Amino acid sequence: MQFSKQLSGKFVFVLFGATGDLALNKLLPALYNAVRFNPSLAQGHFICLGRSITDEDKYFATVKSYIEKVSQTDFDADIWQKFRSLFSFLKLDAQTAADFDILKRRIEALQPDVKIYYLSTSPKIFPDIVHHLTRTSLNEGNTRIVLEKPLGSNLSAAQKINKIVQNAFPEDQIYRIDHYLGKESVQNLMALRFGNRFLEPLWNRIHIRSVQITIAEDIGISSRGAFYEDIGALRDMMQNHLLQLLCFIAMEPPYALTPDAIRDEKLKILRSIPLYTHDEALKNTIFGQYAEGMINGQAVPAYLKEAEVKENSKTETYIAAKFLVSNWRWAGVPFYLRTGKRLPKKLAEIVISFRSVPHNIFMPPLNAEAPNKLVINLQPHDDMRLYMAAKPPGATSQLQQVSLNLNFTKQLNQRRPSAYERLLCDIIRGDLSLFVRQDELEEAWKIMTPLLELKEKNPDILEAYRAGSWGPESSHVLLEKDRAKWHEEQ
Ligand code: BG6
């Protein structure tokens, strides 16, 4: 994370899939803020590509409405004018060679020092795009290619895409996005661990009993039914976001804040996770799909009733799994990971449970699985709570659980760029630290392979859960087997 890396030269930023959900909801609003807060971005030109819109003005009117919606009261007409002056639109079909010839002429006329291609499309068309970029020599020179997740649907598909992309671009020009790495709170995990003295001596199997990582969402699949049907929670969230968070919690200190030093340490962790046999996967994984229920007092339909979802769909909207990290620091410590749609609230949280004291002279707090716990909230609030046992006043030796709360947003009272804004600026500056390397990505797919196979061979292991609940019944049993509980149940 070379925070001070400066932008050098003129760049062109080409956005494939500019009419898609991700571009309109996340990327373009993030670019609007990037332009607003980084004057050097005015050295660039942005070309939005899409095959469905022909009228440039209409397209940018749509973009503006999304930016207004995302920025709410913060929309500024002058900034919009500045933003708009840096953008143009081009109709392009990834399968049409002639469209790339037009794109090439447009790019050459701009005479950029750096060419950036952001592929916010289905990974199915990555090979076509890369083929045409190569055919037109647009991959040559100082270029960067950005790939959205999920990259492939399994290990062999990911390897195939990686090979195609790597034939056209060197690895240090490939930016594989996992937007969780752009979140301030996630980067703060490293600062907490490696910028402080007091946590690290406790950060191991001797003191830590278990780690829970939860990414919960109250939303369903909105208008993404067709996309989600082919993907499911494992590919959408666990293969990438959850495993990356696990790496940040478990990794050794990198020797420096350089992209490869960080990525080498993450890779070691991924390689330390033993691959499950079929039976182990069955014992340690729970797949769920939401049934109808209530969220925030509103009735919501079952996944099977969502638009573009197949009648008997077996796509999981929830997954929980237990993993081990077999190395000296973590041997025997369970890492419980879970994510789901239509859970009671939006939340990303890491819970570190510490072991009990070796010899209790007090009565430990009642109903507390572990008297000492560190709860790191990544969203919606960026805060941390340290649970401890304290003696309440009076003649008692029965301890009570109390907590020390630290609110990062309040104490570090500065503007927090969104994850995408941060990552887009890093791409433009050429900083790879917060992007996933090929070997990391493939290792993550290897860990997921037994789970994917289990689900494919036994689609009926999918359990229904009520929308608004914390997931299928068995997700609780998974922890009970270890005499543990999910944090919200304690
Ligand atoms: C995306 C998934 O990667 O992350 C979505 O494709 C999910 O399904 C989203 O909703 C969650 O991101 P965040 O930043 O809102 O937690």
Side-chain angles (χ1 to χ4, degrees):
M1 277 175 243
Q2 300 147 349
F3 292 108
S4 57
K5 197 158 176 174
Q6 289 306 310
L7 174 69
S8 55
K10 260 173 79 177
F11 67 91
V12 61
F13 187 106
V14 181
L15 179 56
F16 288 85
T19 53
D21 254 14
L22 179 72
L24 292 170
N25 282 305
K26 299 278 184 189
L27 302 177
L28 290 156
L31 281 171
Y32 165 83
N33 274 328
V35 166
R36 178 180 205 162
F37 294 105
N38 300 273
S40 59
L41 260 59
Q43 293 174 56
H45 184 79
F46 298 80
I47 306 175
C48 294
L49 304 176
R51 59 184 178 147
S52 56
I53 297 187
T54 42
D55 185 314
E56 175 149 352
D57 286 340
K58 261 196 208 152
Y59 171 70
F60 282 105
T62 308
V63 171
K64 185 168 176 242
S65 67
Y66 275 86
I67 294 176
E68 279 170 338
K69 193 173 74 190
V70 174
S71 9
Q72 291 170 357
T73 52
D74 207 21
F75 182 80
D76 181 317
D78 291 341
I79 306 290
W80 166 255
Q81 282 313 324
K82 188 170 151 198
F83 171 90
R84 179 67 187 87
S85 70
L86 302 175
F87 277 70
S88 61
F89 181 82
L90 187 65
K91 185 170 158 55
L92 178 135
D93 182 325
Q95 261 105 27
T96 308
D99 286 359
F100 281 83
D101 298 330
I102 300 172
L103 173 65
K104 181 179 166 109
R105 286 199 290 280
R106 171 90 61 102
I107 293 176
E108 281 177 351
L110 293 163
Q111 298 186 317
D113 300 304
V114 184
K115 300 187 281 286
I116 301 167
Y117 306 110
Y118 195 120
L119 275 51
S120 170
T121 62
S122 153
K124 287 184 197 143
I125 59 171
F126 287 179
D128 289 320
I129 297 176
V130 173
H131 164 73
H132 287 300
L133 291 176
T134 314
R135 185 186 57 76
T136 49
S137 309
L138 280 172
N139 62 326
E140 289 173 10
N142 194 348
T143 53
R144 288 165 207 157
I145 185 160
V146 189
L147 308 173
E148 260 298 337
K149 63 143 267 277
L151 203 60
S153 50
N154 56 31
L155 177 62
S156 66
Q159 285 171 327
K160 212 160 138 196
I161 296 176
N162 273 332
K163 206 161 158 212
I164 292 171
V165 179
Q166 283 175 322
N167 281 337
F169 297 87
E171 178 65 25
D172 64 0
Q173 294 177 7
I174 304 175
Y175 291 70
R176 294 181 193 82
I177 288 243
D178 180 319
H179 81 276
Y180 262 68
L181 303 191
K183 289 183 190 273
E184 283 295 332
S185 53
V186 174
Q187 292 157 45
N188 199 23
L189 284 178
M190 278 226 282
L192 275 177
R193 286 194 54 202
F194 307 133
N196 292 294
R197 180 87 193 219
F198 71 98
L199 281 177
E200 209 42 32
L202 303 179
W203 212 256
N204 56 51
R205 62 188 300 275
I206 300 171
H207 301 287
I208 292 180
R209 174 181 158 175
S210 72
V211 177
Q212 291 181 17
I213 308 179
T214 298
I215 304 181
E217 293 181 279
D218 51 359
I219 54 166
I221 47 150
S222 318
S223 55
R224 298 161 81 219
F227 160 84
Y228 200 83
E229 268 292 272
D230 286 342
I231 304 277
L234 185 156
R235 294 183 174 97
D236 192 34
M237 304 291 285
M238 186 171 270
Q239 186 272 344
N240 32 73
H241 305 327
L242 280 165
L243 282 183
Q244 285 290 330
L245 292 180
L246 184 155
C247 287
F248 277 108
I249 292 297
M251 72 198 253
E252 294 301 313
Y255 69 86
L257 277 181
T258 55
D260 278 333
I262 299 169
R263 300 182 317 172
D264 286 346
E265 295 306 336
K266 286 196 286 161
L267 179 66
K268 280 194 222 158
I269 291 301
L270 293 169
R271 288 194 171 145
S272 315
I273 299 178
L275 302 182
Y276 279 145
T277 60
H278 178 277
D279 285 352
E280 287 166 340
L282 184 63
K283 244 192 258 159
N284 291 301
T285 319
I286 310 296
F287 292 93
Q289 188 188 75
Y290 62 81
E292 62 183 13
M294 302 285 282
I295 301 267
N296 302 325
Q298 299 266 331
V300 296
Y303 177 72
L304 292 177
K305 300 278 179 232
E306 301 275 15
E308 295 178 308
V309 167
K310 289 184 210 104
E311 208 177 318
N312 292 317
S313 170
K314 297 289 181 194
T315 300
E316 80 284 359
T317 59
Y318 176 99
I319 181 164
K322 168 181 161 182
F323 292 106
L324 293 174
V325 177
S326 293
N327 63 17
W328 272 50
R329 192 190 277 265
W330 295 112
V333 178
F335 284 73
Y336 304 106
L337 274 49
R338 66 175 166 168
T339 183
K341 304 270 185 207
R342 291 289 190 217
L343 299 184
K345 53 182 165 182
K346 184 165 175 66
L347 163 111
E349 183 177 77
I350 297 169
V351 180
I352 315 281
S353 298
F354 290 87
R355 297 189 188 280
S356 302
V357 293
H359 172 65
N360 262 316
I361 52 171
F362 291 98
M363 285 193 282
L366 297 171
N367 303 325
E369 178 214 17
N372 291 140
K373 259 192 312 185
L374 181 66
V375 178
I376 307 168
N377 240 303
L378 304 174
Q379 65 185 31
H381 308 293
D382 184 3
D383 63 24
M384 192 170 100
R385 270 162 294 142
L386 181 61
Y387 288 89
M388 288 174 289
K391 198 191 83 61
T396 176
S397 60
Q398 170 76 66
L399 302 186
Q400 212 172 299
Q401 199 163 45
V402 291
S403 71
L404 194 65
N405 297 352
L406 175 60
N407 181 329
F408 292 112
T409 320
K410 216 165 169 185
Q411 295 215 16
L412 307 170
N413 189 13
Q414 282 160 35
R415 179 180 173 266
R416 299 179 157 239
S418 73
Y420 271 110
E421 181 186 335
R422 170 66 204 270
L423 295 176
L424 285 161
C425 289
D426 283 359
I427 295 161
I428 294 169
R429 292 192 194 103
D431 185 347
L432 273 163
S433 309
L434 299 176
F435 297 84
V436 179
R437 208 168 53 191
Q438 173 223 344
D439 43 10
E440 270 182 88
L441 176 93
E442 291 182 9
E443 214 53 54
W445 274 122
K446 276 186 207 160
I447 298 166
M448 291 295 115
T449 302
L451 280 62
L452 282 170
E453 289 174 353
L454 169 71
K455 170 83 187 335
E456 254 160 51
K457 285 186 195 146
N458 311 274
D460 291 329
I461 56 174
L462 190 69
E463 275 176 63
Y465 61 96
R466 194 173 36 79
S469 72
W470 278 105
E473 221 15 70
S474 325
S475 64
H476 310 289
V477 179
L478 178 72
L479 271 70
E480 275 162 19
K481 285 191 276 187
D482 296 342
R483 290 195 291 137
K485 282 180 179 169
W486 291 110
H487 178 58
E488 80 281 347
E489 297 165 4
Q490 293 159 28

